[in-house]
Amino acid sequence: MLDYDEEAIAYDALRGGEPRASAAADAVLSLVPERAGRLLDVACGTGIVTRRLAAARPALRVTGVDLTDGMARRAAARLPGAVVRGDSRALPFPDAVFDAVTSVWLLHLLAGPAEMSAVIAECARVLRPGGVYVTTVDKAASHDVGSDIDAVLASRPRRPATDAAALVEEHALAHLLQPAGQTRFTGRGQGRSPRRTVTDLRRGWFTTLPPGDPAAEPFAVRLAALPDQERPRPDPEFTLRAFRKQPRTERRP
């Protein structure tokens, strides 16, 4: 796992910057009802997407929450007074206070299904009945664009995806969140070149090959042999799913 306190400094520049943030915010808002009054952006990171959510809808009261100090500080600079530190597994908010909750590029980072279920449970808890939860799914698959880089990396060790769409939907249903739509958007500026992929590989970007792992070197050698070392391959295409919270029905004796 990357150290996101350290990553905060260069996070935006390494991940598509404003063009990617714009695409993500537009896609998220396409799934958030116009009538929504309060939105919580969980794991808001540097706030680069969160700020755009707020700017696009001035009537929407947007709050960001992030676990790491470095990320939360940068987000707070973009949205003064609207960002708090908090754990997505135990959100620091009362029940049923938001009309929309978003978690963009979060679920794939979690340790396993139990942790993912805990995060979804918390997002559902702070949602009002009728509110919408919007999240990215299948992030790792989104980066597989069929390039020569993907061919080289195809045999690398992988772990089961905690954000697999079917698994996310299963846990969402368990917390009264019914499917309510989906969309896709392009991760602009995120197409990797072979040279950049080698750098990412050696710094632990691919979580099953931590920094210094000798198993990474054969992949690095093969990547370094690819043509057009500086040419970015196609951008990833990310998937967003929306879920609407159903009212809890009382059981009669």
Side-chain angles (χ1 to χ4, degrees):
M1 180 71 72
L2 294 175
D3 184 329
Y4 281 90
D5 270 319
E6 291 184 3
E7 284 288 300
I9 297 171
Y11 185 88
D12 296 337
L14 292 173
R15 291 168 175 81
E18 294 291 352
R20 184 187 78 148
S22 175
D26 289 348
V28 167
L29 289 175
S30 75
L31 296 171
V32 174
E34 288 287 344
R35 66 180 182 277
R38 293 191 68 188
L39 180 147
L40 175 66
D41 191 18
V42 178
C44 66
T46 66
I48 193 171
V49 175
T50 322
R51 176 179 63 184
R52 286 181 172 273
L53 298 176
R57 292 197 192 172
L60 182 64
R61 183 180 169 191
V62 175
T63 302
V65 59
D66 200 275
L67 179 62
T68 61
D69 225 20
M71 291 291 192
R73 282 199 305 271
R74 289 179 179 272
R78 286 177 161 139
L79 289 159
V83 175
V84 300
R85 280 198 63 196
D87 192 325
S88 57
R89 297 161 298 186
L91 292 169
F93 304 101
D95 296 354
V97 292
F98 294 99
D99 302 298
V101 176
T102 60
S103 62
V104 180
W105 302 304
L106 167 63
L107 299 183
H108 69 286
L109 297 172
L110 302 177
E115 194 166 275
M116 187 266 288
S117 180
V119 170
I120 291 177
E122 278 295 276
C123 291
R125 179 184 65 79
V126 300
L127 262 181
R128 296 187 177 112
V132 172
Y133 172 52
V134 178
T135 186
T136 43
V137 298
D138 293 323
K139 183 178 184 290
S142 299
H143 284 278
D144 189 346
V145 296
S147 71
D148 52 353
I149 293 174
D150 295 321
V152 168
L153 294 175
S155 62
R156 77 182 189 273
R158 299 172 185 260
R159 65 180 185 182
T162 54
D163 68 337
L167 185 61
V168 172
E169 181 171 326
E170 176 187 335
H171 287 281
L173 289 169
H175 297 291
L176 303 178
L177 297 171
Q178 293 288 330
Q182 64 180 48
T183 192
R184 292 173 65 81
F185 66 94
T186 301
R188 298 176 193 163
Q190 281 199 282
R192 289 198 183 105
S193 68
R195 196 178 307 281
R196 175 180 162 187
T197 305
V198 170
T199 300
D200 291 342
L201 186 67
R202 286 174 169 160
R203 64 195 288 268
W205 195 297
F206 301 94
T207 55
T208 51
L209 292 170
D213 190 327
E217 283 312 299
F219 294 101
V221 170
R222 292 174 62 195
L223 289 166
L226 292 177
D228 303 319
Q229 282 286 301
E230 301 294 346
R231 177 175 62 83
R233 278 34 173 186
D235 289 327
E237 289 284 328
F238 297 111
T239 300
L240 282 169
R241 293 286 307 272
F243 300 90
R244 191 177 309 280
K245 184 176 180 179
Q246 305 302 303
R248 187 178 295 277
T249 56
E250 297 291 336
R251 291 185 178 181
R252 294 184 179 181

